[in-house]
Amino acid sequence: MSYTTQTVWTWWIAVYLYLGGLGAATLVVTFLTDMYLKNHRTLVLWGAFSGIVMLSIGSLMLFIHLLDPRAVLHVINPLVLFRQPHAWIAWGTQFIIWMMWWGLFYALPYLVQSDRARKVPLLGAVLRLKLMNKLSNKCCLRFHKTIGWLATINGIGVAVYTGLLLQSFPAVALWHNPGVPLLFTVSAFSTALAYLLLLLNLVIKNKDDYYVKVFYERTDTMLIAGELVILFSFFHYMAAGNESAFRSAQLLWQDMGWLIGFIGLGLIVPFLLELKGVIKGWARRLPIVTASVLVLAGGYLLRHYFMYAGVYAHPW
């Protein structure tokens, strides 16, 4: 028996999976916060549009990797779900497209009311159109919570899909594992909370957001703990698995980038920083900002090393 690491899905796909999960989860957390925790126009505008940008960049990375315009048009067409319902990449593309549309519709009323947005030359001219005001008031505001839930459902679909896409490859045991969608979904929401904590601490800086920050910190602490449990299970699954799984375990758990970069700095250190913040609090923003940056870096490293450690075992 021999093995070789796959070289087709590299950092391009890692970036796609990372930005896709992060962007979608950012939109979901932002909208649920606005609907049920605190009405927060500024957070919605920052979260919605940064999330849409992340989804757009991530999708562009995938489409460039496909290198075939016909393949791109094929997965963008909604009819692909009827032609190839087994293709997760088709489901994911549709989730992403509708997530961005519903996200834009949810944020539109806040955007129309924003004085800063109306002063932007081209954007302001569009927002002052009567059509935009009618769309905002009669459609988006009237069905605001419904639109928020449609965006949320599609966003959760995107976050889960990033793991399901990998899990659909049976030749790579590291990927073909029911725990992959769970791991990637937890990671997506953890990185989204870290990103929003950065926005609240460095950009928005509203003293009234104290309880939102505390809620995000507590939730992220639990998500990181969940990630560590899932990874512990992964280690035992791969160490006792077939040749492909065993070799992937060797590549990961003997690599200092994985152990120190991802497990140590990307999970354990931010977990301890956030746990201390939850229990006793911090006098300054720096520890939580540091934890958030480390979580975001760790989220990418998870996907990067999953690509790197994908192993084919011979015979296939």
Side-chain angles (χ1 to χ4, degrees):
M1 186 75 80
S2 60
Y3 76 96
T4 182
T5 54
Q6 67 83 30
T7 57
V8 177
W9 279 26
T10 55
W11 66 271
W12 290 75
I13 301 300
V15 171
Y16 165 63
L17 296 175
Y18 175 64
L19 291 178
L22 172 58
T26 296
L27 287 161
V28 170
V29 175
T30 299
F31 295 162
L32 289 178
T33 299
D34 185 61
M35 288 190 290
Y36 297 106
L37 191 60
K38 177 187 177 183
N39 185 257
H40 206 313
R41 183 179 72 178
T42 307
L43 185 66
V44 168
L45 290 176
W46 275 99
F49 287 99
S50 57
I52 289 172
V53 169
M54 288 182 224
L55 289 169
S56 301
I57 295 173
S59 300
L60 180 62
M61 300 293 282
L62 175 67
F63 293 155
I64 291 174
H65 187 79
L66 289 174
L67 296 176
D68 185 352
R70 291 174 298 178
V72 173
L73 292 174
H74 184 62
V75 296
I76 288 177
N77 185 353
L79 294 177
V80 70
L81 299 181
F82 299 96
R83 296 169 184 163
Q84 291 182 310
H86 60 281
W88 283 116
I89 196 169
W91 282 96
T93 302
Q94 294 305 310
F95 281 139
I96 289 171
I97 291 171
W98 288 106
M99 169 85 251
M100 290 193 290
W101 276 114
W102 293 123
L104 183 61
F105 288 146
Y106 187 90
L108 183 61
Y110 297 148
L111 190 62
V112 170
Q113 297 167 9
S114 172
D115 293 333
R116 185 175 297 179
R118 294 171 73 92
K119 291 178 182 177
V120 177
L122 183 59
L123 179 62
V126 174
L127 293 176
R128 286 191 291 270
L129 293 174
K130 290 184 178 180
L131 176 63
M132 296 303 292
N133 281 277
K134 287 183 179 180
L135 180 62
S136 171
N137 296 326
K138 294 187 177 180
C139 295
C140 297
L141 275 179
R142 184 179 179 184
F143 303 104
H144 207 216
K145 189 166 286 190
T146 301
I147 291 171
W149 271 107
L150 288 170
T152 297
I153 292 168
N154 281 276
I156 293 172
V158 174
V160 176
Y161 144 76
T162 58
L164 288 172
L165 181 63
L166 280 188
Q167 198 251 338
S168 64
F169 288 85
V172 179
L174 174 64
W175 301 351
H176 191 62
N177 182 330
V180 172
L182 177 61
L183 176 63
F184 276 37
T185 302
V186 172
S187 174
F189 280 93
S190 176
T191 53
L193 288 167
Y195 173 71
L196 291 173
L197 279 170
L198 283 181
L199 287 181
L200 290 171
N201 282 290
L202 299 179
V203 180
I204 300 174
K205 297 181 183 179
N206 190 337
K207 293 182 180 180
D208 295 334
D209 292 335
Y210 173 77
Y211 292 105
V212 176
K213 295 176 188 176
V214 170
F215 179 78
Y216 283 179
E217 289 169 24
R218 290 175 178 173
T219 306
D220 193 36
T221 303
M222 291 186 286
L223 289 176
I224 294 174
E227 255 186 282
L228 289 168
V229 172
I230 297 168
L231 286 167
F232 179 77
S233 303
F234 256 85
F235 170 74
H236 286 280
Y237 163 79
M238 292 189 295
N242 58 21
E243 181 78 5
S244 173
F246 178 73
R247 296 300 181 181
S248 290
Q250 281 188 317
L251 289 173
L252 289 176
W253 297 95
Q254 294 177 9
D255 191 302
M256 290 299 103
W258 171 266
L259 290 174
I260 297 176
F262 171 54
I263 302 292
L265 297 176
L267 291 179
I268 294 176
V269 171
F271 173 77
L272 294 175
L273 288 172
E274 290 185 348
L275 184 62
K276 195 271 182 183
V278 168
I279 295 173
K280 293 185 177 181
W282 289 101
R284 301 178 181 177
R285 296 192 187 105
L286 182 60
I288 295 304
V289 169
T290 302
S292 300
V293 171
L294 290 174
V295 168
L296 287 169
Y300 172 74
L301 288 176
L302 168 65
R303 290 148 181 87
H304 177 85
Y305 278 102
F306 255 65
M307 299 300 103
Y308 159 74
V311 168
Y312 296 126
H314 299 282
W316 311 122

